Structure formats: C-alpha cells, structure tokens
Amino acid sequence: MKNIIWITIALITLSTACAQQAIWGEEAIVSPEIQSDNKVTFRLMAPYADTVLVTGDFLPPEELHTPYGVFDVPGKAMLQKDNDGLWSYTSKTLTSDIYTYSFIIDGVTITDPNNVYNVRDVASVLNTFTISGEKADIYSVNNILHGSITHQWYNSPSLKANRRVCVYTPPGYENSSEQYPVLYLLHGAGGDEEAWIKSGRLPQILDNLIAQKKVRPMIVVMPNGNVTQVAAPGDGTRGYYKPQLMEPRAMNGEFESSFKDIINFTENNYRVIANKENRAIAGLSMGGFHAMHISRTYPNTFDYVGLFSTAMLIDNNKIPEYYTNTNETLKTQMQNGVKVYWISIGKRDFLYQRNKEFRAQLDELAFEYTYVESAGGHTWSNWRDYLTEFAPLLFEK
Amino acid sequence: MKNIIWITIALITLSTACAQQAIWGEEAIVSPEIQSDNKVTFRLMAPYADTVLVTGDFLPPEELHTPYGVFDVPGKAMLQKDNDGLWSYTSKTLTSDIYTYSFIIDGVTITDPNNVYNVRDVASVLNTFTISGEKADIYSVNNILHGSITHQWYNSPSLKANRRVCVYTPPGYENSSEQYPVLYLLHGAGGDEEAWIKSGRLPQILDNLIAQKKVRPMIVVMPNGNVTQVAAPGDGTRGYYKPQLMEPRAMNGEFESSFKDIINFTENNYRVIANKENRAIAGLSMGGFHAMHISRTYPNTFDYVGLFSTAMLIDNNKIPEYYTNTNETLKTQMQNGVKVYWISIGKRDFLYQRNKEFRAQLDELAFEYTYVESAGGHTWSNWRDYLTEFAPLLFEK
C-alpha cells in the first residue's frame, strides 16, 4: 500500500489552507464537536489572538436598539485559551435543530476553519451544525428513497431573460407516467432559487414527509424572486458580485406579473396536474409577500396559499401600484374559493405587527385563514418548521 | 417607499456576520477588487491584527521540502495596514483564470469575510475569484442556452446503497426525443459528485462549447467515486463530518467493479445512445486512475478515454489485486479498438514521473494514445483546460 500512502501525503500537501489540519503528526482540531449530552464545543487554534468570541443562533439572542426599533440579533460567548493557544467554548445542552455561527477573532468575524459546512446569508457566510433528534431528523438524509433536484433554465418572455429555477421531483418521478401536484415555493429578500434547498433543507424535508406518508408526492418549483438576477449570485450572467439584501425591483410587482412564465414552464416541462386543486404557492418573508400578491392577482389558480413570516407592506399610497387596493382581488379570490390559506409568524418576529394588521384586513373581508403563531423570530428554524407543518395540508389524498 | 426601506434595514440587522458590511453609514469593504488592469486588491478590516497574509494560486508557488519529496504549495504575500486598520495587498496583473485564496491573520487561516464565493477543497474552504478574458470566458455564464444539472439518486446493487449522481443534460434535452452520447466524468481524491460542477465549472464549459458548436451536445454523468459516501459530505446519510483526502476503499477496485450500476442507471433513465461509439469516460487524479481501470476492465464499452493528471499506481505486488496484471486487459482494450485515449499532465505535477512510466507501459504494448503536456501542476486550472480540450474530441459529428 506504499503507493497509496505516498500519493495521499503528496496530495495533502497541495491543500492550501492546511494550517488547522492534521499533517506531519499534528493533532486534528475538531470544531464544532457535538457532545453526547448535546452540548457543543467550539475550538480555534489562535495562539496570537487576544479575544475569540463565538456568535450564533444557538445562543440567547441579544437586543439591538436602533433608530428603527429594537431587533433580536444572535448572542455572543467568549472562548477561553489554553497553554497551547487553543481557544474553546462549550455551549449549554441544545435542542434538536440546525444552527449557524461565526467566530470573532480580535474583532474580525470569520468562519470556523475546521468546519466546511456553511450557508450564505446575503453577503455573509455562516457555519452550520446540527443537533440530531426529532426536529432535525426531518432535515436529515435518511436511508429512504430520495427525490431529485434539477437546476434548469426557463425562458421568461415577461422579463426577457433565460432564468434558472430549482425543481424538486419526488422519488419515482423518473420511472412513472404519473402526474403530480405542484407547490411553488418562494425565498425571502437576500435569497435566491437555492435558498430553500441549502438553508431550508427542502429535499430532505420532502423526502422524509413522503416516506412517512404524511404528504402526497408533489413537485416543488423554486424560482428566483429577484428580477435583477437570472440565477443565484455567482451562477448568473453578472458573474461574481457582493450580494445585497434588497435587489432593486424585488418588490415592485414585476416578479408577480411575470409569474405566469414560471407556471407555463412548469406545466410544459413536468408531469403536473394542471388545475387549481393541485397548485399551491408559499413563501417566506419577501416570498410570503410575493405569494400573497400572486395568489390574489391570479385569482382562480391556487387552492393552497402559505404565508411564512410575511414581509407585509401596508396598503397605502407610498407603495408600488401592484400592491395597492388589494381588497377587490382578495374578495374575488375568496369568492372563487381557497382550500387552505395559512399564515404563520413567530411571536418575536419584527414583522409581527404588520402580519396582525394584514389578518385584520382579512377578518374585515371575512376571508378565512388558518393562523399559526410560533415562538422565535424571523429565522430559518421557523421556516423549516412552517414548511413541515404546511406541506401535509396540501392536496387531497 | 418608506415601508421597503424600513423592512430592508430591519432585515439587515438580522444578518449575523455583518462586521464587514455597510450598515449605519459605514463604508462597505470590497475584497477582492479586480482592477481594470487585472491587478487584484485584497482587503481585510482587522485593526488589532499584527500580520495579515494572503495565500493562493495567483501567487508564484513555493516549494515545500518534505521527507517524501519537494512539492509546490501556493505562495504568500503580506498585506499592509493603513491608519484605520484596513489591511490591503494588490497583486501583479493576472492572466485570465479562476483563482483560489485564503487570508492568514496572526497565523490563523481564514476565508475573506467580504467574499461569499468559495469552494470546498477536502477539509478547507477557499475563496474564489475570476479574471475574465479568453480562458475564463469559457467558465462564465454567458447569455446563451443552458443545460440542466440534476442531482439524482440511483440504486447500486453492487454497493448495496442508494447513491447520488449529478447529471448534465444539454440545452433542449427536455423538449426533444433525441438520444445523446454520454461522458462519464470522475473526480479526484477528496472530491465528490459535485466537484466538477463547483470547481470544474462543467455546466458553464459544456454550455459554452455547445453554443460555439465545438462539441456535440452530450450528457455528462458525474458519480461519487468514494464507495464509503452515498453523496457529497453533508448531503449523505453520514450527516456532517470532517472530510478527509482519502476515503477508505477509494482505490481498491470496488468503485470500478460497481461502475456497471452507474451505466445501467444512466441508460435506463436518460435518452442515451447506448453503444461504445457514444460512451466516453474521463477523470482527474484518482478519477483518471478510476477511468483507466474501468475502461480496461469493461473492455468493449468506451471509445473515448481521458486521463487527466492521473494518480497512477505502479503495477506491483503491493497494490490491490484489481490494479495488477494490467497488460492483458489493456491489450484486449487495444484490440477491441479505442478512438481516443487521451493522457494529459502538467510539467510540474508531482505525478509526472508515474505518468511517464505508464506511457512507457502503453508504448511497449504499442497502445496508441494522445499525449498533452501542459505547464503547471496538479490544479483545477489544468483540469478545466483539459476538459475544454478533450470534450471537442468526443463522438463523431
């Protein structure tokens, strides 16, 4: 086996960022390390640093006071240095979930060099880890059949562009002639067509719910809701650029009015049941806002609507015309019938009040909806939960 | 528009790692910044750091002397600090390519917090940037038709597992009944089924070559060559773990002997021309090794073979049985006929000598091949080039 060992060592030396790796007999640093009692130890080798902090959503949130209000931001904790310069911190016992975190080394926010798992959050990259158990098991890759994820490009005549969309097809789709219902699932501001896959764990959630026979096998179509992007940052014609939270024109009605192109693409390219009873639309934050307005202005198209932590603009004269005078179309939508109109938000969400006002608007119209109020705020932890709760309500079995 | 501004600010405060972002009037840091003359400026705000280095393949390589030989490793350069604590370094003018880099802050190797674009290299995450121009343009998303990438799971009876594979289908595949030739494309040690997509820019290279009519539209199948993984790290049943360069059993013949399952899956699920004239196999490093042995032991299956920087074990008694006594099967492969047997390596590759010995073995058998020797070493820059050169040789038009 001498050859294999030689090649292995040679290849290892080629790795650029090997400072924290086990080469030439140094011991490997494990970070994060999930202990058996679900405490988590974070480690960073930094002999010359003066302070190292960890910040993330596994810590109790801190309140940030701003001229615009008080907001929850992830808490911080201090790591301790040992004689070798290895910093470490062990958390309290954590409940099952997927968490994100960063280190702050002498004021510089960095990713953990020993953890290759990360997600992009607008213009930042955050590390992730998972505490297994009931909640996270639905996000895990289990030994069951898996659906496919296709990154495909569709033509949008309305936007005069070829644009990318991600499509989940359920296990067995490729080897059957069956037709399936469709959930259109929209991302929030700063997200893109991959957000529900990467942060939302959509493929894992759907695979698990389908295996547990809790949902009907369905197709999930995830478009890009930023009309200024043809695909996720780095995968489009704009090349590499620094992503921003609000792309221009993301909330001006253009995406909503171009949505027919996405429905046409889906119904011409996938084996779908192309009727209202088998169409659902849902979204988080800005995507909830898009879903509300699309379902309202395509009034006899969707029997299922899910609004997760919706970034609801209040109907007044200062907002784009597409979003004003909503009562008439909501009334039509109600008269045409909606089987499930599902609204969810966390008690600590900064959008709580706006959602309350929107519910009051629906109440006045006698528009029926289901309302689910959760703990927590504007978080992926909540959005994964909402999807897990909402999907089983879809489509009659 | 007051509403939108309010929501934007609120959402921005939710971003965890905003230390380097433009909030509350601070100026945004741009790093890396590609200057008009293709010099690149790297920046890091770190007022309390003593030294900040940048290391990457855009710098002249350094030689690392080890007990096992002398190896090229990425060079380093020092950043300079200004009065505000902003460190910066500007490179020489760079030629067109995709580059990777890291910062080293007081000895700790980190990613650039202002650059969200990165690739995983075994157990490290490296930032990337692109210098546009002739070479990188073939890696760019241009305003042309795009193929699809599907992440799909196949059953491998040989390995008793459901495993993930990535499949590129050319533009128009979904809306035709045409049958296509297939290239099976294999990754190296430490890689996985996504390596050719993320680091290899395969979708962009194929889209561009097809648009330029330089290659025949083809399907590209990218399996995972580590039999201990059902999917890329984090996407399989093992959950999150620290990836290692050499997975156990990656070079023992198991992957090669299970390869029939991948061919069966492809030919049963995709519209392929299922004959030798329309099958190609290629791979880089360990994947070149796999491609050599698969094409040899499935002797009448592939008319096109590409061996890029192959991690060639030399035939002796110390290596797994699958890789010994290769002359007989190579002779059979030669007698059955191979249209293109393509070998490429960089002059500075640490595997240069082993490839030379393998070519000598082929010469003795009078086995015809094409040999392309490039500059540079064991790098993605070379592998993207090799793919770009090799693909146009495939399949008669």
Side-chain angles (χ1 to χ4, degrees):
Chain A
M1 305 294 283
K2 204 178 55 176
N3 280 294
I4 294 179
I5 293 166
W6 181 86
I7 288 177
T8 303
I9 290 165
L11 286 168
I12 285 175
T13 62
L14 293 166
S15 278
T16 319
C18 50
Q20 304 266 339
Q21 288 183 6
I23 304 178
W24 318 127
E26 257 181 74
E27 206 175 319
I29 291 164
V30 179
S31 179
E33 184 183 359
I34 320 291
Q35 315 283 359
S36 56
D37 56 359
N38 287 341
K39 293 176 178 169
V40 179
T41 301
F42 301 87
R43 296 186 179 93
L44 182 73
M45 178 57 82
Y48 307 108
D50 290 322
T51 62
V52 179
L53 302 170
V54 59
T55 177
D57 56 10
F58 68 94
L59 291 162
E62 292 173 6
E63 288 190 345
L64 182 70
H65 293 256
T66 78
Y68 305 91
V70 180
F71 301 106
D72 280 352
V73 294
K76 294 186 184 72
M78 188 85 78
L79 279 73
Q80 299 300 322
K81 184 157 101 167
D82 75 7
N83 291 335
D84 297 328
L86 181 66
W87 295 78
S88 64
Y89 168 80
T90 298
S91 75
K92 293 187 182 166
T93 293
L94 301 177
T95 56
S96 172
D97 210 331
I98 299 175
Y99 295 95
T100 59
Y101 71 99
S102 306
F103 286 142
I104 306 173
I105 176 168
D106 293 339
V108 182
T109 301
I110 64 167
T111 52
D112 180 349
N114 285 292
N115 183 352
V116 297
Y117 301 104
N118 58 57
V119 289
R120 182 178 65 81
D121 179 26
V122 192
S124 303
V125 175
L126 308 177
N127 284 115
T128 62
F129 66 93
T130 300
I131 301 289
S132 58
E134 199 185 342
K135 183 164 163 168
D137 285 352
I138 203 93
Y139 313 147
S140 298
V141 180
N142 293 307
N143 196 12
I144 53 174
L145 292 177
H146 304 292
S148 300
I149 291 287
T150 301
H151 286 66
Q152 192 170 347
W153 295 70
Y154 71 98
N155 182 252
S156 174
S158 315
L159 298 172
K160 295 184 180 60
N162 288 315
R163 307 185 78 236
R164 202 172 70 169
V165 64
C166 293
V167 180
Y168 170 88
T169 48
Y173 176 87
E174 290 88 354
N175 295 305
S176 85
S177 54
E178 205 182 322
Q179 291 180 305
Y180 295 86
V182 182
L183 164 62
Y184 295 89
L185 189 59
L186 312 181
H187 62 81
D192 56 57
E193 73 277 17
E194 291 187 309
W196 270 106
I197 297 169
K198 292 185 173 174
S199 295
R201 304 290 287 179
L202 174 114
Q204 292 78 25
I205 293 173
L206 264 284
D207 284 354
N208 285 315
L209 291 176
I210 290 170
Q212 295 167 12
K213 299 194 189 307
K214 287 186 180 158
V215 305
R216 198 167 135 196
M218 65 182 79
I219 293 167
V220 185
V221 174
M222 292 158 280
N224 186 313
N226 302 304
V227 299
T228 48
Q229 296 177 339
V230 298
D235 289 345
T237 44
R238 282 163 72 185
Y240 291 165
Y241 58 96
K242 196 164 188 167
Q244 55 186 328
L245 186 85
M246 286 299 294
E247 282 285 322
R249 298 158 52 198
M251 290 171 89
N252 70 350
E254 274 186 89
F255 177 65
E256 291 89 337
S257 56
S258 74
F259 200 78
K260 56 185 179 290
D261 300 339
I262 292 163
I263 298 177
N264 285 340
F265 159 78
T266 304
E267 300 188 348
N268 289 328
N269 281 270
Y270 287 85
R271 292 196 317 278
V272 306
I273 315 172
N275 62 30
K276 186 186 175 191
E277 291 72 27
N278 290 284
R279 276 193 216 100
I281 188 163
L284 73 90
S285 197
M286 178 180 85
F289 179 73
H290 285 155
M292 188 278 272
H293 288 289
I294 290 165
S295 68
R296 170 181 71 77
T297 53
Y298 296 63
N300 215 4
T301 305
F302 302 97
D303 246 345
Y304 302 88
V305 179
L307 311 181
F308 309 163
S309 313
T310 299
M312 195 65 71
L313 303 185
I314 300 306
D315 196 346
N316 67 31
N317 295 329
K318 297 201 187 86
I319 63 176
E321 198 191 342
Y322 199 92
Y323 306 131
T324 58
N325 306 310
T326 55
N327 272 345
E328 276 313 304
T329 45
L330 282 170
K331 257 186 244 169
T332 309
Q333 187 179 10
M334 179 173 67
Q335 279 151 13
N336 289 332
V338 180
K339 288 207 168 75
V340 175
Y341 199 93
W342 199 84
I343 299 173
S344 54
I345 194 156
K347 284 187 178 64
R348 291 185 68 86
D349 197 308
F350 70 99
L351 294 163
Y352 186 90
Q353 182 60 28
R354 304 208 157 218
N355 275 257
K356 194 172 167 184
E357 286 159 31
F358 176 64
R359 281 183 286 118
Q361 184 187 350
L362 294 180
D363 290 338
E364 257 183 53
L365 296 169
F367 192 123
E368 282 184 36
Y369 57 86
T370 306
Y371 176 57
V372 172
E373 193 170 288
S374 70
H378 208 70
T379 64
W380 272 108
S381 176
N382 270 341
W383 302 326
R384 288 184 295 257
D385 272 359
Y386 298 161
L387 175 67
T388 308
E389 268 188 78
F390 178 66
L393 308 177
L394 301 181
F395 314 124
E396 284 172 11
K397 281 139 210 150
Chain B
M1 304 295 283
K2 204 179 55 173
N3 280 294
I4 294 179
I5 293 165
W6 181 85
I7 288 179
T8 302
I9 290 163
L11 286 169
I12 285 174
T13 63
L14 294 166
S15 280
T16 319
C18 51
Q20 305 264 340
Q21 288 184 6
I23 304 179
W24 317 126
E26 259 181 72
E27 205 174 318
I29 292 164
V30 179
S31 179
E33 185 183 359
I34 319 289
Q35 315 283 358
S36 56
D37 57 0
N38 287 343
K39 292 176 179 169
V40 179
T41 301
F42 301 87
R43 295 187 180 91
L44 182 73
M45 178 58 80
Y48 307 107
D50 291 322
T51 62
V52 179
L53 302 170
V54 59
T55 177
D57 55 9
F58 67 94
L59 290 163
E62 292 173 8
E63 288 189 347
L64 182 69
H65 293 257
T66 79
Y68 305 92
V70 180
F71 301 106
D72 280 352
V73 294
K76 294 186 185 71
M78 189 85 78
L79 279 72
Q80 299 299 322
K81 185 158 97 168
D82 75 7
N83 292 335
D84 298 325
L86 182 66
W87 296 78
S88 63
Y89 169 79
T90 298
S91 75
K92 293 187 181 166
T93 293
L94 300 178
T95 56
S96 171
D97 209 331
I98 300 175
Y99 295 95
T100 59
Y101 72 100
S102 307
F103 287 142
I104 305 173
I105 175 169
D106 292 340
V108 182
T109 301
I110 64 167
T111 52
D112 180 347
N114 286 292
N115 182 353
V116 297
Y117 302 103
N118 59 56
V119 289
R120 182 177 65 81
D121 179 25
V122 192
S124 303
V125 174
L126 308 176
N127 284 115
T128 62
F129 66 93
T130 300
I131 301 290
S132 59
E134 197 183 345
K135 183 165 164 167
D137 285 352
I138 202 94
Y139 314 147
S140 299
V141 180
N142 294 307
N143 195 13
I144 54 176
L145 292 177
H146 304 293
S148 299
I149 292 286
T150 300
H151 286 65
Q152 192 171 347
W153 295 70
Y154 71 99
N155 181 251
S156 173
S158 315
L159 298 172
K160 295 185 180 56
N162 287 316
R163 310 185 76 236
R164 199 172 72 169
V165 64
C166 293
V167 181
Y168 170 87
T169 48
Y173 177 87
E174 290 88 355
N175 296 305
S176 85
S177 54
E178 205 182 321
Q179 293 181 302
Y180 296 86
V182 182
L183 165 62
Y184 295 90
L185 190 59
L186 312 180
H187 62 79
D192 56 55
E193 73 276 19
E194 291 187 310
W196 271 106
I197 297 169
K198 292 184 174 177
S199 296
R201 303 289 289 178
L202 174 115
Q204 293 78 22
I205 292 173
L206 264 283
D207 285 352
N208 285 315
L209 290 176
I210 290 171
Q212 294 168 12
K213 299 194 189 308
K214 288 186 179 159
V215 305
R216 201 170 131 193
M218 65 181 81
I219 294 169
V220 184
V221 174
M222 293 159 280
N224 185 313
N226 302 304
V227 298
T228 49
Q229 295 177 339
V230 298
D235 289 346
T237 45
R238 284 164 69 185
Y240 290 166
Y241 57 95
K242 194 163 189 167
Q244 54 185 326
L245 185 85
M246 284 301 293
E247 282 284 323
R249 299 159 48 199
M251 291 172 89
N252 70 351
E254 275 186 88
F255 177 65
E256 292 89 335
S257 54
S258 75
F259 200 78
K260 55 184 177 295
D261 299 338
I262 293 163
I263 298 176
N264 285 340
F265 159 78
T266 304
E267 299 188 349
N268 289 327
N269 280 271
Y270 287 86
R271 292 194 318 276
V272 306
I273 315 173
N275 62 29
K276 185 184 175 190
E277 291 71 28
N278 290 284
R279 277 193 214 101
I281 188 164
L284 73 90
S285 196
M286 178 179 85
F289 180 73
H290 285 155
M292 189 278 272
H293 289 290
I294 290 166
S295 69
R296 168 181 73 77
T297 53
Y298 295 64
N300 215 5
T301 305
F302 302 98
D303 246 346
Y304 303 88
V305 178
L307 311 182
F308 308 163
S309 312
T310 298
M312 196 63 74
L313 305 184
I314 299 308
D315 196 346
N316 66 32
N317 294 330
K318 297 200 188 88
I319 62 175
E321 197 191 342
Y322 199 95
Y323 305 130
T324 59
N325 305 312
T326 54
N327 272 346
E328 276 313 302
T329 45
L330 281 170
K331 256 185 243 169
T332 309
Q333 187 180 9
M334 178 173 69
Q335 279 151 14
N336 289 331
V338 180
K339 288 206 167 77
V340 175
Y341 199 93
W342 200 83
I343 299 172
S344 54
I345 194 155
K347 284 187 177 68
R348 290 185 68 87
D349 197 307
F350 70 99
L351 294 163
Y352 185 90
Q353 182 59 29
R354 304 206 159 220
N355 275 258
K356 194 170 166 185
E357 286 159 30
F358 176 64
R359 281 184 285 119
Q361 183 188 351
L362 293 179
D363 290 339
E364 256 183 52
L365 297 169
F367 192 123
E368 280 184 37
Y369 57 86
T370 308
Y371 176 58
V372 172
E373 192 169 288
S374 71
H378 208 69
T379 64
W380 272 108
S381 175
N382 270 341
W383 302 326
R384 288 185 294 259
D385 272 359
Y386 298 163
L387 176 67
T388 308
E389 266 189 80
F390 177 66
L393 309 176
L394 301 181
F395 314 126
E396 281 171 14
K397 278 140 212 147

